[in-house]
Amino acid sequence: MLPQKQAEEAIVSNFNETEHEGKEEVKDEEHSMLSVKSFLWHGGSAWDAWFSCASNQVAQVLLTLPYSFSQLGLPSGILLQVFYGLMGSWTAYLISVLYIEYRSRKEKENVSFKNHVIQWFEVLDGLLGPYWKAVGLAFNCTFLLFGSVIQLIACASNIYYINDRLDKRTWTYIFGACCATTVFIPSFHNYRIWSFLGLGMTTYTAWYLTIAAFTHGQAEGVTHSAPTELVLYFTGATNILYTFGGHAVTVEIMHAMWKPQKFKYIYLIATLYVFTLTIPSASAVYWAFGDELLNHSNAFSMLPKTGFRDAAVILMLIHQFITFGFACTPLYFVWEKVIGMHDTKSICLRALARLPVVIPIWFLAIIFPFFGPINSAVGALLVSFTVYIIPSLAHMLTYRKASARQNAAEKPPFFLRSWPAMYVINSFIVVWVLVIGFGFGGWASVTNFVKQVDTFGLFAKCYQCKPPTPPVAAAPHH
């Protein structure tokens, strides 16, 4: 009983600084209850973290899941959502445990993080060494880079359904400039109102898709033949792997919390809410349109133009701007650390230093404007390692010694209470994702991606756009 008490006291003392900062933040908020800036701008509670996780998890993938269902079929689509959602929640839990372990060890060495945002690659470096840091940095940054690219592609794809006078490539130029303004948002502390609004926007869009699909009814001659090809099946599966792999920013969200040790189950609760959005909407749209979705990776393209649809498009555009900021902010932090600007207090100076990060994202979105296929390719080649394999391996290696397990800042969860059981779950995730996600999924998604390049070409001006209506010939004069 005594060692356990000492361990608990140690954990509490390790987070003294965090709790002190948290209390200071709470005091500041109490003194400025009427301050709109404080209410909208500066958040670090468990609720803020939940909104950030739930908002970040569903963005443009909400519009591609019906496309995935047309590749997988309804039973596989629902089953894989639940499976990968729970698996993603587990690895997010592992990341939170490793963050707390890293921070508690560093604070025992009197390291202060007052002006420093801890990131995932630094956790890997502190727990496992420089090689793991390099691997984590490479996968995380590449994933976040392409995650940002996807948001720009999605913006252009969505706005086209309201205004098709400009092609999608031109819209990508415009939204690239708009999204570049995220350089002015300092950190995840400052996403409070954006996360709240973002989740409201995706909730509206999900239920609009569901109701609109049922109102429209089944299309004439609709067929539901999926699954038909292995390439399509595993492409759809990796898109769902990507859907529930949105926690490349978990460490940054945790660090923005006043009490990061409260994060452990937040991602799971966020995922359960996300199920209420993704499963009904994808199922309803697939029921209504079936195999026709195979040639329409954006669900908006299937539904008639109405005021409700235009509202959903506009809300998703705003949300994709928010998600672009979520994906880019960790990249901004990495770049700031590389050029020595991370401690700079001036927001304008930091914004100027961050601009070079946006330019390659903008360029890649113009080269590869393939909305659905790029999701699957990113899921198989990057998310599989960043979100599932690396956290599972890192957890097993961090606690491979008896002494590390005995002195762990966080013990196994209450529903498991066994280190061997954790090793079994982690090993299963590594093998499953390596074989199914990276192996079969990588083969399928790259095959499908190459097919899109061959069909539409790089720098496609208007990917999956309707052909222009030919001009009506003038009636001959007699």
Side-chain angles (χ1 to χ4, degrees), residues 55-212:
S55 176
N56 187 46
Q57 200 173 116
V58 281
Q60 94 296 331
V61 287
L62 196 64
L63 308 176
T64 62
L65 283 172
Y67 167 70
S68 298
F69 273 41
S70 72
Q71 297 168 320
L72 292 162
L74 190 64
S76 289
I78 294 173
L79 187 64
L80 285 174
Q81 278 203 45
V82 175
F83 177 67
Y84 282 127
L86 296 177
M87 187 185 287
S89 299
W90 175 258
T91 53
Y93 168 78
L94 297 181
I95 291 171
S96 72
V97 167
L98 293 172
Y99 168 88
I100 291 171
E101 183 67 38
Y102 168 77
R103 185 158 181 172
S104 64
R105 289 185 188 183
K106 287 295 179 183
E107 288 179 347
K108 284 176 183 176
E109 299 168 9
N110 295 320
V111 176
S112 172
F113 296 106
K114 190 173 182 181
N115 296 315
H116 182 92
V117 176
I118 299 172
Q119 293 188 267
W120 175 229
F121 69 90
E122 293 168 320
V123 172
L124 291 173
D125 184 29
L127 297 177
L128 297 171
Y131 291 111
W132 278 85
K133 173 187 176 180
V135 170
L137 187 61
F139 273 105
N140 225 41
C141 287
T142 311
F143 168 42
L144 291 168
L145 178 77
F146 279 98
S148 305
V149 169
I150 288 167
Q151 300 311 317
L152 279 189
I153 297 170
C155 284
S157 177
N158 289 344
I159 191 65
Y160 183 78
Y161 297 116
I162 290 183
N163 184 338
D164 59 3
R165 288 190 293 275
L166 298 177
D167 58 76
K168 290 182 183 178
R169 188 168 67 193
T170 304
W171 280 120
T172 305
Y173 292 137
I174 294 168
F175 278 99
C178 295
C179 289
T181 58
T182 57
V183 297
F184 289 100
I185 302 176
S187 74
F188 282 98
H189 271 301
N190 313 114
Y191 274 97
R192 163 174 277 184
I193 189 62
W194 294 114
S195 297
F196 176 77
L197 291 175
L199 191 58
M201 292 165 188
T202 49
T203 300
Y204 171 87
T205 304
W207 287 108
Y208 157 73
L209 292 174
T210 306
I211 295 166

Side-chain angles (χ1 to χ4, degrees), residues 291-314:
D291 293 348
E292 199 178 342
L293 285 160
L294 287 168
N295 298 315
H296 296 84
S297 55
N298 189 327
F300 281 145
S301 65
M302 303 303 299
L303 296 165
K305 182 177 173 64
T306 63
F308 290 112
R309 194 193 75 165
D310 288 353
V313 171
I314 291 166

